[in-house]
Amino acid sequence: MFDRPFWEKRIKESWQKAPIVWLSGPRRSGKTTISKMIGKDDGLYVNCDLPSSADMLKNPEIFFKDLNKKIVIFDEIHNLKDPSLVLKIGADNFSHIKIIATGSSTLAASHKFRDTLTGRKRDVRLLPVLKAELADFGGISLQKRIYHGGLPPALLSKEKDNSFYREWSDSFFSRDIQKLFGFKDWSKFNIFLEYLMKESGGIFEISKASSVLGISRITVSSWLRALEITGTVNVLRPFFGGKKGEITKMPKVYGFDTGFVSFFKGWQPLRNTDLGFLWEHIVLDHLLALNPDKPVRYWRDKSGYEVDFVIPCADGFVDAYECKWSPDEFSPSSLKSFREIYPKGNNYLITPLEAEYRKDYKGLKVILKTISLK
């Protein structure tokens, strides 16, 4: 097992605000491992997939009274009959006990949760292994992280095992999608998931997806929302401020993991031209990890100028991020167009280079940097 100190710290900081941490994230992303690491010294691990766990929790009050640990981990808690009751009793009557509850989606997605535990919990969304975490995984190369993806079993495999990605997709439907949302059409849903992975990073048009796949617009919207809730895709809404010519409605959809994107695209092995495209996904993970409470957007106008990612800040400031595999590939024209409308904020060019410096592009000041968790 490998430590993931960034996420362990976030969980412990969340406990300072509420007794329950709801740890969500894609299947096989490491939720169980991180939870066990945190609770290794004074924690009880409860696998809610097991019938014996349901029997043990029939009377939550007695369970918590008899608990002689400071931490309890309820793994896959949505499998219990009434999970919100268990968590509510723990939070309200035994607040000295710290709780981790894991699931693949947001808590509110499951119909079993009659109470969303407002005020009693904090959400932590676990992402695939970040570029800045690779040193903690034995110094795995960035190229391998991009090719294999960031789910630990795939990342640590010597060779890219195509069966892992296909089996994960099948299991994801039966263990998550079907249980949480009641969708029945396994075949068409997986075709939709594959379509999104192939189109990852592009502007998503519901009518186009509906036409290409032969699925109703309502179904497309419903399935996309389910994939967003479970963290399988990241849906970025456009940033706009009411200026003429800005894109205001169509989102961009990114697959959650570069290993799956490259697998479904059939990029085996990766070409040099693929690295820049997938690097954009790596940077997005980094921004999502460091800004859990801020929306990450993109910006585009009808003239074709586009900024990869923007993050609105306070007092009208907007930070802008461009992603390039090499700084030599960067053209400042889109950033300049953006700053003519939104002059306040920092401009970042994010590259894999382990260096940080500032550069002036004829009056446009840009900070060139790599990504870190500091």
Side-chain angles (χ1 to χ4, degrees), residues 143 146-147 261-262 265-279 325 329:
Q143 284 84 347
I146 290 174
Y147 186 42
V261 172
S262 60
K265 281 181 172 288
W267 290 353
Q268 299 184 45
L270 293 180
R271 303 158 296 181
N272 286 337
T273 53
D274 302 328
L275 293 173
F277 169 77
L278 294 172
W279 172 246
W325 187 250
E329 300 170 355

Coordinates of all heavy atoms in Angstrom, one line a residue, residues 143 146-147 261-262 265-279 325 329:
Q143 N 4.8 9.8 -18.1 CA 4.3 9.1 -19.3 C 3.5 7.8 -19.0 O 2.5 7.6 -19.6 CB 5.4 8.8 -20.3 CG 6.0 10.0 -21.0 CD 7.0 10.7 -20.2 OE1 7.2 10.5 -19.0 NE2 7.7 11.7 -20.9
I146 N 0.1 8.8 -17.6 CA -0.8 9.3 -18.7 C -1.3 8.1 -19.4 O -2.5 8.0 -19.7 CB -0.1 10.2 -19.6 CG1 0.2 11.6 -18.9 CG2 -0.9 10.4 -20.9 CD1 1.0 12.5 -19.7
Y147 N -0.5 7.1 -19.7 CA -0.9 5.9 -20.5 C -1.7 5.0 -19.8 O -2.8 4.5 -20.2 CB 0.4 5.3 -21.1 CG 0.1 4.1 -22.0 CD1 -0.8 4.2 -23.0 CD2 0.9 3.0 -22.0 CE1 -1.0 3.2 -23.9 CE2 0.7 1.9 -22.9 CZ -0.3 2.0 -23.8 OH -0.5 1.0 -24.7
V261 N -9.4 7.0 -21.3 CA -9.5 7.8 -22.6 C -8.6 7.2 -23.7 O -9.1 7.0 -24.8 CB -9.2 9.3 -22.3 CG1 -9.1 10.1 -23.6 CG2 -10.2 9.9 -21.3
S262 N -7.4 6.9 -23.3 CA -6.5 6.4 -24.3 C -6.9 5.0 -24.8 O -6.8 4.6 -25.9 CB -5.0 6.4 -23.8 OG -4.9 5.6 -22.7
K265 N -9.9 5.3 -27.1 CA -9.5 5.9 -28.4 C -8.6 5.0 -29.2 O -8.4 5.3 -30.4 CB -8.8 7.2 -28.1 CG -9.7 8.4 -27.8 CD -8.8 9.7 -27.5 CE -9.7 10.9 -27.4 NZ -10.3 11.3 -28.7
G266 N -8.2 3.9 -28.6 CA -7.3 3.0 -29.3 C -5.9 3.5 -29.4 O -5.2 3.0 -30.3
W267 N -5.5 4.3 -28.5 CA -4.1 4.9 -28.6 C -3.1 4.0 -27.9 O -2.8 4.2 -26.7 CB -4.1 6.3 -28.0 CG -4.8 7.3 -28.8 CD1 -5.3 7.2 -30.0 CD2 -5.1 8.7 -28.4 NE1 -5.9 8.3 -30.5 CE2 -5.8 9.3 -29.5 CE3 -4.8 9.4 -27.3 CZ2 -6.2 10.6 -29.4 CZ3 -5.2 10.7 -27.2 CH2 -5.9 11.3 -28.3
Q268 N -2.6 3.0 -28.6 CA -1.7 2.0 -28.0 C -0.7 1.6 -29.0 O -1.0 0.9 -29.9 CB -2.5 0.8 -27.5 CG -3.6 1.1 -26.5 CD -4.3 -0.1 -26.0 OE1 -3.7 -1.1 -25.7 NE2 -5.6 -0.1 -25.9
P269 N 0.6 2.0 -28.7 CA 1.0 2.9 -27.6 C 0.7 4.4 -27.9 O 0.2 4.7 -29.0 CB 2.5 2.7 -27.6 CG 2.9 2.4 -29.0 CD 1.7 1.6 -29.6
L270 N 1.0 5.3 -27.0 CA 0.8 6.7 -27.2 C 1.8 7.2 -28.2 O 3.0 6.9 -28.2 CB 0.9 7.5 -25.9 CG -0.2 7.2 -24.8 CD1 0.1 8.0 -23.6 CD2 -1.6 7.4 -25.4
R271 N 1.3 8.2 -29.0 CA 2.2 8.9 -29.9 C 2.6 10.3 -29.2 O 1.9 10.7 -28.3 CB 1.6 9.2 -31.2 CG 1.1 8.0 -32.0 CD 0.0 8.3 -33.0 NE -1.2 8.8 -32.3 CZ -2.3 9.1 -32.9 NH1 -2.4 9.0 -34.2 NH2 -3.3 9.6 -32.2
N272 N 3.6 10.9 -29.6 CA 4.0 12.2 -29.0 C 2.9 13.2 -29.1 O 2.7 14.0 -28.3 CB 5.3 12.7 -29.6 CG 6.5 11.9 -29.2 OD1 6.5 11.3 -28.1 ND2 7.6 12.0 -30.0
T273 N 2.1 13.1 -30.2 CA 1.1 14.1 -30.5 C -0.1 13.9 -29.5 O -1.0 14.8 -29.4 CB 0.6 14.0 -31.9 OG1 0.2 12.6 -32.2 CG2 1.6 14.4 -32.9
D274 N -0.2 12.7 -28.9 CA -1.3 12.4 -27.9 C -1.0 13.0 -26.5 O -1.9 13.2 -25.8 CB -1.5 10.9 -27.8 CG -1.8 10.2 -29.1 OD1 -2.4 10.8 -29.9 OD2 -1.4 9.0 -29.2
L275 N 0.3 13.2 -26.2 CA 0.6 13.6 -24.9 C 0.1 15.0 -24.5 O -0.4 15.1 -23.3 CB 2.2 13.6 -24.7 CG 2.8 12.3 -24.8 CD1 4.3 12.4 -24.9 CD2 2.4 11.4 -23.7
G276 N 0.1 15.9 -25.4 CA -0.4 17.3 -25.0 C -1.9 17.2 -24.7 O -2.4 17.9 -23.8
F277 N -2.7 16.5 -25.5 CA -4.1 16.3 -25.3 C -4.4 15.7 -23.9 O -5.2 16.2 -23.2 CB -4.7 15.5 -26.4 CG -6.1 15.1 -26.2 CD1 -7.2 16.0 -26.4 CD2 -6.4 13.8 -25.7 CE1 -8.5 15.6 -26.1 CE2 -7.7 13.4 -25.5 CZ -8.8 14.3 -25.7
L278 N -3.7 14.6 -23.6 CA -3.9 14.0 -22.3 C -3.4 14.8 -21.1 O -3.9 14.6 -20.0 CB -3.3 12.6 -22.4 CG -4.0 11.6 -23.4 CD1 -3.2 10.3 -23.5 CD2 -5.5 11.3 -23.0
W279 N -2.3 15.6 -21.4 CA -1.8 16.4 -20.3 C -2.9 17.4 -19.8 O -2.9 17.7 -18.6 CB -0.6 17.2 -20.9 CG -0.1 18.3 -20.0 CD1 -0.1 19.6 -20.2 CD2 0.6 18.1 -18.7 NE1 0.5 20.3 -19.1 CE2 0.9 19.4 -18.2 CE3 0.9 17.0 -17.9 CZ2 1.5 19.6 -17.0 CZ3 1.5 17.2 -16.7 CH2 1.8 18.5 -16.2
W325 N 2.2 20.7 -23.4 CA 3.2 19.7 -23.2 C 4.6 20.3 -23.2 O 5.5 20.0 -22.5 CB 3.1 18.5 -24.1 CG 4.0 17.4 -23.8 CD1 5.1 17.0 -24.6 CD2 3.9 16.5 -22.7 NE1 5.7 15.9 -24.0 CE2 5.0 15.5 -22.9 CE3 3.0 16.3 -21.7 CZ2 5.2 14.5 -21.9 CZ3 3.2 15.3 -20.8 CH2 4.3 14.4 -20.9
E329 N 4.9 25.4 -27.6 CA 3.6 25.2 -28.3 C 2.6 26.3 -28.0 O 1.6 26.4 -28.6 CB 3.0 23.8 -28.0 CG 3.9 22.6 -28.3 CD 3.3 21.4 -27.7 OE1 2.3 21.4 -27.0 OE2 3.9 20.3 -28.0

